[in-house]
Amino acid sequence: MLQVSYIRDNREQVLERLAVKNFKQPELVDEIIELDDKRRSTQTSMDNVSAEANAAAKQIGELMRSGKKEEAEGLKGKTGAWKEEIKKLGEALTTTEEELYQKLVLLPNLPHSSVPKGLTPEDNEVVLENGDKPELPADALPHWELAAKYGLIDFELGVKITGAGFPVYKGKGAKLQRALINYFIDEAEKAGYSEVSVPLMVNEASGFGTSQLPDKEGQMYHVGIDNLYLIPTAEVPITNLYRDVIVKEDQLPIRNCGHTPCFRREAGSYGAHVRGLNRLHQFDKVEIVTIAHPDKSYEILELMSNHVQGLLKNLGLPYRVLRLCGGDMGFGSALTYDMETWSAAQQRWLEVSSVSNFETFQSNRLKLRFRNADGKTQLAHTLNGSALALPRIVATLLENNQTEKGIKVPEVLVPYTKFEWID
């Protein structure tokens, strides 16, 4: 959530940056400023009446002590009117503050100055590309056929048990999943992240804190009877560990990682590109989350991006890094890098990670602050990234490493899988 003071002081810049994100309600900016003017005016009026009432109360005491009872009683007669006016002004202030809040939560975060303009994924900027695309034989199979051939994943059984988008991993497929999770967690810990194990459901306050609510409410699974939400990413519970917390400046940066299943309704996703593991309703992911000093957050964003790239290099996967354009960015992000791997059998790039800096957008909602050397509190910056999401990693590993002998397991995973080949 943007800070009202920043919006007031930087109106033109706010409108300019919102335009980069293709925000369709720029009039909200002036409505917010007008409501803040009204809030300030009402607060001033209430403070003035309260001061007048307090001064009168003091004067009444002095008159009573001086024996001027009649004058004191005359002043007492006015206190009822003051109390009523203070009550009305208080109610008006509460209403205005609620209206202001409801409009503030509709504003997305402002994109960083480096974010390119654009409307669609085609407008994203390719920052770098690494690795050679493998050349597969003409009879190479897509991962869903390889999964069936080697008994790794049963999509139909998942449909029977739950529905489409909930696959069942079996045998070496299940072991490969577990190997990837353990490998990603171990690498995150080597990079300085502390592992946490968090709930898979969150309340409304948590969903609001990391800006999934109200923006992505329709994409989340809602447990109505308890008013809880299945997490779309471990970012939500891990970041919310620090909701309403003031940390010490010397504790920053705070780095956490965690593995969770993730649940996404993916409403409106249809077509050939959602086949197999390309788009699921439930999938596993290892998340890295950082609470950072504002002066260091973009340096840390690059470190997080490099960490993800290191994982892809170690797995032997060709990849590219994209800087997302304004129209393709998330609601709360100031800058997002997407990492995509090349699917040799499908002949297309598949997104496997997003690494984002939210600056103070989430921390303002979370009331996540740090106390600086002067003893003053300041909003921290929050960052997170997929390191990594498993489905498309599995898809590209199966497709890119297929041979006549079987599927070669990347060397870094063999200590975890305890086998070198899927055959």
Side-chain angles (χ1 to χ4, degrees):
M1 187 165 63
L2 298 178
Q3 295 173 274
V4 179
S5 58
Y6 184 86
I7 296 171
R8 291 186 67 92
D9 296 342
N10 302 275
R11 176 183 175 276
E12 295 304 320
Q13 183 183 3
V14 168
L15 288 169
E16 179 185 328
R17 300 314 299 165
L18 286 175
V20 172
K21 244 184 180 179
N22 299 292
F23 185 59
K24 303 301 184 185
Q25 295 177 275
E27 67 277 2
L28 278 177
V29 172
D30 285 332
E31 291 174 10
I32 285 168
I33 293 172
E34 289 171 9
L35 281 169
D36 191 48
D37 287 337
K38 184 178 178 181
R39 179 193 65 80
R40 292 180 176 207
S41 174
T42 305
Q43 183 69 64
T44 299
S45 297
M46 191 167 73
D47 290 344
N48 290 339
V49 175
S50 296
E52 192 175 354
N54 291 336
K58 183 179 179 182
Q59 188 178 358
I60 289 168
E62 292 173 352
L63 289 170
M64 292 294 286
R65 285 191 293 274
S66 302
K68 299 177 181 179
K69 187 175 180 181
E70 188 173 332
E71 289 183 48
E73 292 297 332
L75 271 178
K76 280 184 179 180
K78 296 180 180 180
T79 58
W82 281 323
K83 287 180 180 178
E84 185 61 29
E85 189 172 358
I86 290 170
K87 180 183 176 184
K88 288 181 179 178
L89 286 168
E91 291 172 348
L93 181 62
T94 299
T95 299
T96 301
E97 287 176 337
E98 180 60 26
E99 290 177 8
L100 177 60
Y101 174 82
Q102 292 300 330
K103 290 188 182 293
L104 270 174
V105 300
L106 297 176
L107 284 184
N109 198 4
L110 303 180
H112 187 262
S113 58
S114 66
V115 171
K117 293 181 180 180
L119 296 172
T120 68
E122 286 69 35
D123 299 315
N124 294 334
E125 176 189 346
V126 178
V127 177
L128 64 88
E129 191 170 323
N130 185 82
D132 297 323
K133 298 176 182 176
E135 295 291 334
L136 298 182
D139 60 350
L141 301 176
H143 68 270
W144 53 87
E145 292 186 25
L146 291 168
K149 178 179 178 179
Y150 294 106
L152 306 175
I153 307 168
D154 194 323
F155 294 99
E156 274 42 1
L157 194 53
V159 171
K160 171 187 173 182
I161 297 169
T162 308
F166 295 89
V168 174
Y169 297 86
K170 304 191 301 183
K172 288 187 175 181
K175 293 185 189 305
L176 179 60
Q177 284 272 112
R178 183 154 46 87
L180 284 165
I181 292 165
N182 290 336
Y183 171 64
F184 293 156
I185 287 288
D186 285 351
E187 291 300 300
E189 288 191 313
K190 289 177 187 176
Y193 295 89
S194 298
E195 184 181 4
V196 291
S197 181
V198 290
L200 304 184
M201 290 189 288
V202 294
N203 54 30
E204 280 188 352
S206 295
F208 175 79
T210 45
S211 68
Q212 275 72 29
L213 297 176
D215 180 54
K216 296 183 177 67
E217 188 166 5
Q219 292 294 342
M220 297 170 72
Y221 285 100
H222 185 219
V223 183
I225 193 168
D226 296 308
N227 196 28
L228 296 173
Y229 292 86
L230 290 171
I231 61 169
T233 165
E235 163 205 343
V236 182
I238 294 177
T239 311
N240 270 277
L241 295 174
Y242 302 94
R243 175 156 44 94
D244 297 319
V245 170
I246 300 175
V247 301
K248 295 178 181 178
E249 187 172 14
D250 61 10
Q251 291 178 275
L252 301 175
I254 298 171
R255 296 184 174 96
N256 289 125
C257 66
H259 155 250
T260 66
C262 302
F263 305 90
R264 300 183 185 180
R265 293 187 62 240
E266 297 290 2
S269 297
Y270 307 101
H273 286 176
V274 303
R275 192 168 180 184
L277 296 173
N278 288 345
R279 195 171 298 276
L280 301 176
H281 294 303
Q282 178 183 325
F283 61 93
D284 287 276
K285 181 153 70 81
V286 172
E287 190 81 359
I288 51 175
V289 174
T290 304
I291 312 300
H293 192 289
D295 294 344
K296 300 289 187 180
S297 68
Y298 279 96
E299 176 185 330
I300 288 171
L301 179 66
E302 297 302 322
L303 292 174
M304 293 173 72
S305 171
N306 290 337
H307 174 73
V308 174
Q309 292 179 55
L311 298 176
L312 295 171
K313 289 176 183 176
N314 291 346
L315 291 172
L317 293 173
Y319 69 89
R320 67 179 184 178
V321 179
L322 306 176
R323 182 185 284 111
L324 297 194
C325 69
D328 199 32
M329 287 175 63
F331 183 82
S333 174
L335 177 60
T336 295
Y337 291 123
D338 268 8
M339 284 68 167
E340 299 180 334
T341 59
W342 177 252
S343 166
Q346 298 178 71
Q347 289 290 295
R348 57 188 290 254
W349 291 101
L350 300 177
E351 179 200 333
V352 293
S353 175
S354 285
V355 182
S356 301
N357 188 348
F358 293 84
E359 296 185 354
T360 61
F361 192 82
Q362 291 181 334
S363 58
N364 191 28
R365 291 176 171 226
L366 295 160
K367 300 297 180 281
L368 165 54
R369 295 154 289 173
F370 67 94
R371 197 178 301 280
N372 62 26
D374 298 327
K376 296 180 179 179
T377 58
Q378 185 178 345
L379 291 172
H381 280 195
T382 62
L383 305 92
N384 65 61
S386 314
L388 284 160
L390 269 67
R392 295 171 187 169
I393 290 292
V394 171
T396 51
L397 285 177
L398 296 181
E399 292 179 1
N400 295 7
N401 295 329
Q402 59 182 300
T403 71
E404 291 182 2
K405 180 180 176 181
I407 299 169
K408 184 76 168 68
V409 175
E411 186 178 340
V412 293
L413 294 182
V414 173
Y416 297 90
T417 60
K418 304 296 190 282
F419 52 82
E420 297 182 15
W421 290 89
I422 295 173
D423 49 22

